């Protein structure tokens, strides 16, 4: 058992996390962290209206001191991190581009961690811990070969790499030293899990991955804080090592520590304006752009053709409109819903809309073609053919919510208000939005948690 620190990439990463302070964060990183905190809480406050959350609550029978957001319920810290994480990811409206879904992993773990600290935690401490989690989660994924290589093997990186993101965030909030921070990160590898098998039969399992990662990361940090040693060589080229287990052929351990303090991984995280798998978003944008540029209406479309990589086809190319979970993974449904309802937001996914005959007719007429020359995660090419025979096509390189195509501040606020309003009173929703906007001035983050008392546990689930 090695408790000493050397100069390996994970040692340097642990030292960086343990010494990170608010004053060292660039202004834009702070601003972005605040946006992602608010966006995640908004997604979760809607997600507590999901069937998945209701089933999980019924199964766990929670009881304890930690708030289940948007409800009048509370749970133990670990159960709350699992349930709040499930809620945050339930409607596919949480952020992406990190571990992948970093917000739904990091925020539930951190708010649960508040209850293990014997003094108030400031907004500045919370922001610093969030940035730490996003940094570590993305670095782990990139060192493991990147999203394409890791996920193409069947691993869901939100569950596998997200556990380490949550552990690092909690370690920073607990104020662990570098050795204990490394223990937290390395212990989290033993709780790392999540498979893409849910994609084949409409399973709801995906919704649990963020919650389990949050729970596992919190547990790893708690253990490390009390002296439990992690496997110091888990990122070495050894039997049983993380890289060897998850993607031996394309791993780059040096990415764990490359550009620390200069390259802030939260900058590459993206927001999600549409209630579907991120793989569908650029196609929705392409449809929007083509209609806007031509002045055409969606009702004029006679046929939609899609060309995409084999990986994207497997991930979100199925024509599904039925149960909520698989429908949200369907790119064809997202496009058809936008055409029929004028939106690809959450309201397009009500039970009535998921079964709408017009949506199914348009979806059934789509041609979904695999292009083997396309990179695994290349964005799809969308071709529209109108009733008069005019044909136009578009591929959007980066979807709305990315740095290249950012959501406007008014749209971010509107999304938050719509989603948070699904479980909070208008008074609490507005107070929460205002408090999160000034989070760096908040002296005690338990005040944020208090504003998230809602009534989702006493009203019908979203259908």
């Amino acid at each position: 058992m090695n408790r000493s620190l050397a100069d390996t990439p994970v040692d340097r990463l642990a030292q960086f996390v343990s010494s990170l302070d608010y004053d060292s964060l660039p202004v834009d990183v702070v601003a972005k962290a605040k946006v992602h905190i608010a966006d995640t809480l908004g997604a979760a406050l809607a997600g507590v209206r999901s069937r998945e959350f209701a089933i999980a609550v019924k199964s766990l029978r929670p009881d304890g001191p930690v708030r289940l957001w948007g409800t009048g319920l509370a749970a133990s810290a670990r159960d709350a991190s699992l349930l709040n994480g499930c809620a945050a990811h339930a409607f596919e409206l949480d952020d992406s581009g990190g571990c992948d879904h970093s917000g739904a992993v990091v925020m539930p773990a951190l708010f649960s961690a508040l209850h293990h600290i014997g003094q108030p935690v400031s907004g500045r401490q919370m922001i610093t811990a969030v940035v730490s989690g996003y940094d570590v989660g993305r670095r782990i994924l990139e060192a493991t070969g990147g999203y394409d290589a890791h996920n193409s093997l069947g691993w869901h990186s939100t569950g596998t790499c997200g556990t380490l993101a949550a552990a690092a965030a909690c370690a920073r909030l607990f104020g662990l030293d570098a050795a204990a921070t490394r223990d937290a990160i390395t212990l989290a590898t033993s709780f790392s899990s999540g498979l893409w098998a849910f994609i084949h039969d409409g399973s709801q399992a995906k919704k649990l991955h963020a919650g389990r990662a949050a729970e596992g990361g919190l547990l790893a940090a708690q253990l490390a804080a009390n002296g439990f040693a992690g496997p110091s060589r888990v990122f070495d080229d050894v039997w049983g090592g993380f890289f060897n287990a998850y993607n031996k052929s394309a791993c780059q351990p040096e990415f764990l520590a490359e550009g620390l303090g200069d390259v802030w991984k939260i900058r590459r995280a993206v927001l999600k304006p549409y209630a579907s798998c991120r793989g569908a978003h650029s196609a929705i944008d392409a449809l929007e752009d083509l209609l806007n540029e031509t002045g055409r209406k969606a009702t004029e479309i006679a046929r939609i053709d899609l060309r995409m990589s084999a990986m994207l086809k497997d991930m979100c190319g199925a024509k599904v409109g039925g149960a909520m979970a698989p429908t949200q993974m369907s790119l064809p449904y997202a496009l058809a819903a936008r055409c029929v309802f004028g939106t690809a937001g959450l309201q397009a996914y009500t039970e009535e809309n998921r079964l709408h005959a017009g949506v199914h007719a348009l979806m059934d007429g789509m041609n979904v073609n695999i292009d083997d020359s396309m990179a695994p995660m290349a964005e799809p090419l969308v071709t529209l053919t109108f009733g008069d025979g005019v044909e136009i096509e578009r591929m959007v390189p980066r979807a709305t919510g990315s740095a290249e195509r950012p959501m406007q501040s008014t749209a971010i606020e509107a999304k938050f208000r719509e989603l948070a309003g699904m479980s909070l009173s208008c008074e609490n929703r507005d107070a929460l939005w205002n408090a999160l906007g000034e989070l760096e001035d908040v002296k005690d983050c338990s005040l944020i948690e208090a504003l998230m008392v809602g009534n989702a546990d006493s009203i019908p689930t979203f259908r």
Side-chain angles (χ1 to χ4, degrees):
M1 181 174 65
N2 179 15
R3 301 303 302 275
S4 63
L5 288 173
D7 192 35
T8 68
V10 70
D11 292 326
R12 295 197 297 274
L13 180 61
Q15 289 171 328
F16 172 76
V17 170
S18 68
S19 63
L20 186 63
D21 62 71
Y22 178 86
D23 291 335
S24 66
L25 301 178
V27 172
D28 71 296
V29 167
V30 170
K32 190 161 177 61
K34 289 166 57 180
V35 167
H36 283 265
I37 293 168
D39 186 75
T40 299
L41 297 185
L45 290 165
V48 292
R49 295 279 305 280
S50 68
R51 291 187 67 245
E52 289 81 5
F53 180 82
I55 293 170
V57 167
K58 182 178 180 180
S59 302
L60 291 180
R61 299 179 182 178
D63 184 36
V66 184
R67 173 67 48 201
L68 298 183
W69 303 335
T71 76
L73 305 173
S76 68
R78 283 173 54 197
D79 281 355
S81 61
L82 190 159
L83 291 166
N84 287 333
C86 176
H89 192 47
F91 287 147
E92 294 289 342
L93 283 159
D94 52 315
D95 66 15
S96 184
C99 67
D100 184 42
H101 298 280
S102 294
V105 168
V106 168
M107 257 59 86
L110 287 176
F111 275 90
S112 288
L114 290 178
H115 295 262
H116 289 278
I117 299 174
Q119 58 188 10
V121 171
S122 71
R124 294 187 175 200
Q125 290 173 284
M126 178 65 74
I127 290 168
T128 305
V130 167
V131 172
S132 299
Y134 275 73
D135 227 55
V136 170
R138 185 67 198 184
R139 288 176 181 279
I140 294 291
L141 179 56
E142 291 176 356
T144 314
Y147 186 95
D148 300 3
H150 184 61
N151 285 265
S152 66
L153 292 176
W155 302 111
H156 185 209
S157 57
T158 299
T160 55
C161 301
T163 313
L164 285 70
C170 290
R172 177 61 286 192
L173 203 67
F174 289 155
L176 303 188
D177 64 20
T181 297
R182 187 188 67 181
D183 285 334
I185 294 170
T186 57
L187 278 170
T189 62
S190 288
F191 309 135
S192 178
S193 65
L195 295 170
W196 271 90
F198 61 81
I199 201 71
H200 302 296
D201 60 2
S203 166
Q204 297 163 293
K206 181 176 188 283
K207 312 303 183 181
L208 293 173
H209 290 178
R212 287 291 280 171
E215 177 199 29
L218 173 62
L219 175 59
Q222 290 172 320
L223 290 168
N226 286 292
F228 207 105
S232 64
R233 298 192 62 195
V234 72
F235 297 114
D236 290 352
D237 184 15
V238 294
W239 179 70
F242 189 87
F243 297 140
N244 284 355
Y246 283 117
N247 192 25
K248 183 178 178 68
S249 63
C251 298
Q252 296 175 286
E254 65 275 12
F255 283 6
L256 293 176
E258 188 174 76
L260 287 169
D262 294 317
V263 179
W264 301 92
K265 297 301 181 179
I266 197 169
R267 284 175 172 156
R268 73 168 322 281
V270 299
L271 302 178
K272 294 178 66 179
Y274 313 123
S276 59
C277 174
R278 182 69 181 181
H281 283 215
S282 69
I284 302 168
D285 285 339
L287 173 65
E288 294 278 6
D289 288 353
L290 291 171
L291 293 177
N292 289 335
E293 291 171 14
T294 60
R296 301 268 194 158
K297 296 180 180 179
T299 52
E300 299 178 55
I301 298 173
R303 191 179 74 250
I304 299 176
D305 295 317
L306 300 167
R307 182 155 57 87
M308 63 185 70
S309 70
M311 181 176 176
L312 190 61
K313 170 66 165 60
D314 287 343
M315 187 166 67
C316 59
K319 299 177 181 179
V320 181
M324 182 73 163
T327 302
Q328 289 188 289
M329 297 302 296
S330 171
L331 189 160
Y333 178 89
L335 291 180
R338 163 58 187 87
C339 290
V340 174
F341 309 123
T343 178
L346 186 57
Q347 294 307 313
Y349 290 84
T350 63
E351 185 173 50
E352 179 181 2
N353 287 344
R354 297 196 307 270
L355 300 175
H356 192 281
V359 171
H360 282 263
L362 184 55
M363 189 164 46
D364 290 344
M366 292 182 189
N367 293 315
V368 182
N369 301 302
I370 294 175
D371 184 342
D372 290 329
S373 70
M374 297 176 77
M377 288 305 297
E379 301 295 355
L381 179 71
V382 178
T383 303
L384 305 182
T385 302
F386 295 98
D388 59 5
V390 173
E391 183 177 292
I392 51 177
E393 64 181 26
R394 177 66 53 84
M395 187 275 284
V396 172
R398 291 280 284 164
T400 298
S402 64
E404 294 83 355
R405 189 174 170 135
M407 284 180 70
Q408 299 303 306
S409 58
T410 52
I412 295 170
E413 181 177 352
K415 176 187 173 184
F416 176 88
R417 291 185 180 278
E418 176 191 355
L419 298 181
M422 291 177 64
S423 63
L424 298 187
S425 67
C426 292
E427 181 181 9
N428 273 17
R429 177 199 65 189
D430 294 347
L432 178 61
W433 174 256
N434 292 333
L436 293 172
E438 300 174 350
L439 185 58
E440 67 270 36
D441 298 324
V442 171
K443 303 302 181 185
D444 184 354
C445 282
S446 65
L447 301 176
I448 300 293
E449 188 179 48
L451 292 173
M452 291 193 283
V453 177
N455 65 348
D457 52 312
S458 60
I459 57 178
T461 58
F462 176 88
R463 292 183 181 274

